[in-house]
Amino acid sequence: MNRCIIFSNTALNINKLKKISEILDNNDNIDTLNIYSSRKIKDNKIRINDSQTYNSINELINYINENDIEILDHLEINVYYKDNNKATLKYEEFDYRWELSYFNQDTNIDSLIFNLKPLMRNTPFKIFRQYRGWCLA
C-alpha cells in the first residue's frame, strides 16, 4: 500500500460497524469485500485465537450478535473496487486505532475517506467511555 490514513483513539462498537456496512455493503463500485476478524478467548484456562472470514459487514455483525462477542482484537476489511484499486481498513483493539491504506487515490478512495472521517471523529465523551471498558455490545 502506498498511502495510509490513521484514525486513532476510535473504539470499535456495533453502531460503528452498522454505519461502515451502510458505506461498503451497498456500494456499486465495489467488486468484493474480504473481512477477517480475530479475538482471543479462554476455554478451560487455555487461550484460543478465534479467527473468522466474512464477505460482508452484515455477516460479521450477525456473527457478533449470534455468539455474544464483546471484544474483537483485530479487524481487517479489504475492499476491492471494480477499477482494480484496493483499500484496506484495519482495526487494532490494543490502540483503538483504525488505519486506511490504499494504492491509488481516485474518486472511490476519496468517497471512502469522506464517508469514514465523520465516523472516526472522537469527542472527549467517547474517549472517556472507551477507556472505561466500552465494548461491542
Side-chain angles (χ1 to χ4, degrees):
M1 299 286 167
N2 292 342
R3 297 180 169 188
C4 79
I5 298 172
I6 296 172
F7 306 100
S8 59
N9 291 326
T10 306
L12 173 65
N13 59 37
I14 201 74
N15 291 331
K16 194 169 301 280
L17 278 178
K18 288 178 182 177
K19 290 179 182 177
I20 292 173
S21 172
E22 291 173 9
I23 295 169
L24 296 178
D25 283 344
N26 300 318
N27 189 332
D28 292 335
N29 295 325
I30 294 176
D31 190 27
T32 58
L33 288 175
N34 289 334
I35 303 165
Y36 307 101
S37 71
S38 69
R39 64 187 178 115
K40 293 180 178 79
I41 54 176
K42 249 186 183 178
D43 191 22
N44 294 328
K45 298 182 182 180
I46 297 173
R47 287 187 157 213
I48 300 169
N49 190 17
D50 176 36
S51 299
Q52 299 291 326
T53 305
Y54 318 93
N55 293 320
S56 72
I57 305 287
N58 283 329
E59 284 182 32
L60 170 63
I61 292 170
N62 290 338
Y63 178 76
I64 289 170
N65 291 333
E66 289 170 1
N67 296 300
D68 296 325
I69 296 172
E70 294 180 4
I71 295 175
L72 288 177
D73 293 324
H74 299 283
L75 178 66
E76 181 176 323
I77 303 170
N78 293 305
V79 182
Y80 297 96
Y81 289 97
K82 290 181 180 176
D83 64 356
N84 295 326
N85 203 0
K86 178 187 174 190
T88 302
L89 182 63
K90 293 181 184 178
Y91 172 75
E92 206 174 299
E93 193 269 335
F94 181 74
D95 296 332
Y96 296 110
R97 178 178 130 157
W98 289 86
E99 178 181 302
L100 176 65
S101 306
Y102 53 91
F103 283 113
N104 301 319
Q105 189 162 355
D106 59 6
T107 56
N108 293 325
I109 299 297
D110 288 339
S111 173
L112 183 61
I113 293 169
F114 179 78
N115 288 314
L116 286 176
K117 271 189 177 180
L119 288 177
M120 303 303 175
R121 189 173 299 136
N122 254 331
T123 64
F125 182 67
K126 285 183 183 177
I127 293 171
F128 175 74
R129 270 195 328 199
Q130 80 188 28
Y131 287 112
R132 291 207 42 197
W134 192 256
C135 58
L136 285 174

